[in-house]
Amino acid sequence: MSTSERSSAFHAEPLFSELPKPSQAPVTVVSPMMALPPTLTPKQILVHHSADDWEEFIYEWVVALKEAEYVDVVRMGGSNDRGADIAAFLTPRKTDDVWHCFQCKHYDKAIAPATAYPEILKIHSAVAEQQYQVLPERYMFVAPKVGGSLIQLLAKPSALRTGFFDWAEKNKTRLVQEYAGGALDRALGLARQSEFSRFEAGNLDKILAQHATTPQHVKRFGVPLPDRPASLAAPPEHAPEEARYIQQLLDVYFEKWGCSPASPDAARAHPTAGRNLQRQREAFYRAEQLRIFARDSVPAGTFESLQDSVYSGVAEVEEDDFDTGYTRLKAVLAAARDMQLGTNVLLQVVDPDDRKGICHQLANDDRLHWVQEEL
């Protein structure tokens, strides 16, 4: 058969018989207006903060600073803040001794020298008038945007000093009225003796990186929780803080298998009770690790709220009639594993063993009981 014949034969007899084409569902194209908006970065969120929210954010950051061992940090902002929005004290003598000042500025535009000069005058006047005993060792302007001209001046204290006194001279008529009774001369006299190297501007990228180590970061910016550390095995020996929930389990094992409730040794020696006890202890320590993780990663009270949610979900189960404490224990743990827990931010990292462990934390606090004939 020639090539042309083979070709004709191929086209004459198709390999597949023609079938009706299946109907295709219409393709739905999501309108740009219906698509989810892009997630804002923490830096973009800060731009939209109010002045009060910005000051609160800076306060959270200063409190968490590890490089300075502050004995206290206070918010002093307001219409009469005397040149300091946030003060951080390095000694119990507070502003009578070494302290740091953080001046919060939240404007649509980048702050410039014209923003800084009045604040520099204000802090010198506060000290000259003995509202503070000494000038702050460090004085930091913190703003979402700091202009290049101000950054350059802060990098060269001698130029900052010159610019400040030039500004004061040009605005002397107004400043004399604002700082009356010789207050202007006293403030400028102190400024002439002052080290302008104390003035600086905060770096927002560095501030955000440090704030990310605080429990407030997740709530403020809605970012995912940090990775949770790998769980550690329960220690071989029972710790004193385990006493109550362990005793409750020993009572279960005594009722179920006759193991002596006076010591964990009898339960450990029992083939089933021993394995069960070990699993419950692993779950308890898993929940304890979650509690510590929460303390360092989310606002105070978040973990306690999760505990309350678990308790609310299992309390009705615990109150049911059961033949033994063992069946009650199993039913409560199963309910905790399967229940819906709402919107607590820790649910991002909670696993079934955490839920079981929280039940044992509740038993440790006598909020849950397994063997109830004496209650």
Side-chain angles (χ1 to χ4, degrees):
M1 181 181 292
S2 67
T3 301
S4 61
E5 289 173 331
R6 286 197 300 270
S7 176
S8 298
F10 175 78
H11 290 293
E13 299 182 13
L15 292 177
F16 303 99
S17 59
E18 289 190 4
L19 297 174
K21 293 182 179 180
S23 60
Q24 293 183 345
V27 177
T28 301
V29 178
V30 178
S31 164
M33 294 298 292
M34 296 173 61
L36 292 175
T39 302
L40 295 177
T41 66
K43 190 178 290 188
Q44 291 169 327
I45 291 172
L46 287 175
V47 170
H48 298 287
H49 268 27
S50 67
D52 285 344
D53 286 340
W54 171 255
E55 185 175 310
E56 183 180 4
F57 163 72
I58 295 301
Y59 173 79
E60 293 167 356
W61 164 64
V62 175
V63 168
L65 283 176
K66 301 295 190 295
E67 61 213 43
E69 296 183 1
Y70 296 134
V71 299
D72 197 10
V73 177
V74 298
R75 293 179 65 177
M76 304 175 70
S79 58
N80 188 27
D81 59 21
R82 297 175 178 176
D85 286 327
I86 296 170
F89 311 124
L90 281 82
T91 79
R93 298 185 66 220
K94 302 182 181 180
T95 58
D96 285 347
D97 203 347
V98 184
W99 65 292
H100 295 169
C101 173
F102 299 85
Q103 190 65 24
C104 303
K105 297 296 179 187
H106 194 284
Y107 301 142
D108 292 336
K109 298 187 296 184
I111 62 171
T115 304
Y117 292 147
E119 299 299 334
I120 293 174
L121 178 59
K122 188 187 296 185
I123 192 66
H124 281 99
S125 178
V127 176
E129 302 306 310
Q130 298 185 337
Q131 293 165 336
Y132 304 130
Q133 188 67 29
V134 295
L135 286 166
E137 180 184 59
R138 294 177 65 187
Y139 183 110
M140 181 180 292
F141 295 100
V142 277
K145 304 173 186 176
V146 182
S149 58
L150 179 56
I151 291 175
Q152 292 173 12
L153 280 176
L154 292 170
K156 190 175 182 181
S158 59
L160 178 65
R161 175 193 292 273
T162 299
F164 168 73
F165 282 107
D166 286 347
W167 166 84
E169 184 62 30
K170 290 176 184 177
N171 294 274
K172 189 170 183 178
T173 301
R174 174 177 60 83
L175 293 175
V176 166
Q177 296 177 347
E178 186 175 345
Y179 293 86
L184 179 63
D185 289 338
R186 289 190 292 272
L188 294 178
L190 178 61
R192 290 188 183 93
Q193 305 169 35
S194 172
E195 287 289 341
F196 274 60
S197 57
R198 75 181 75 249
F199 298 103
E200 57 186 297
N203 181 294
L204 186 54
D205 290 325
K206 183 178 179 181
I207 291 172
L208 277 169
Q210 292 170 328
H211 189 272
T213 67
T214 71
Q216 290 79 21
H217 193 78
V218 169
K219 180 179 180 180
R220 182 169 291 278
F221 297 110
V223 297
L225 287 171
D227 291 338
R228 187 175 167 187
S231 60
L232 301 176
E237 297 300 322
H238 299 170
E241 54 268 25
E242 295 183 79
R244 181 57 188 142
Y245 91 90
I246 290 289
Q247 186 59 58
Q248 289 219 52
L249 289 171
L250 296 182
D251 292 341
V252 166
Y253 305 146
F254 172 69
E255 183 187 56
K256 176 71 172 174
W257 293 294
C259 304
S260 171
S263 169
D265 294 337
R268 287 198 193 101
H270 190 278
T272 306
R275 291 195 302 271
N276 187 275
L277 176 60
Q278 183 60 27
R279 288 198 303 273
Q280 309 316 320
R281 291 191 67 234
E282 295 289 350
F284 175 82
Y285 272 90
R286 177 74 179 170
E288 285 293 290
Q289 290 163 355
L290 177 63
R291 179 180 60 79
I292 295 170
F293 173 81
R295 179 197 65 194
D296 298 334
S297 305
V298 293
T302 304
F303 181 74
E304 290 73 17
S305 177
L306 179 64
Q307 282 184 317
D308 289 342
S309 294
V310 172
Y311 176 75
S312 178
V314 303
E316 301 294 330
V317 177
E318 184 229 21
E319 291 175 353
D320 283 347
D321 293 328
F322 293 95
D323 293 336
T324 66
Y326 184 74
T327 53
R328 177 176 288 105
L329 168 68
K330 301 287 277 188
V332 167
L333 296 185
R337 179 195 62 208
D338 298 334
M339 67 183 292
Q340 296 296 318
L341 285 175
T343 59
N344 192 295
V345 67
L346 286 172
L347 294 179
Q348 297 177 34
V349 296
V350 168
D351 66 19
D353 277 346
D354 293 316
R355 294 165 176 248
K356 290 169 53 180
I358 288 174
C359 290
H360 291 303
Q361 289 174 327
L362 295 169
N364 213 37
D365 293 336
D366 272 322
R367 296 177 69 184
L368 293 177
H369 301 87
W370 312 132
V371 180
Q372 297 189 353
E373 64 270 20
E374 296 182 0
L375 296 178

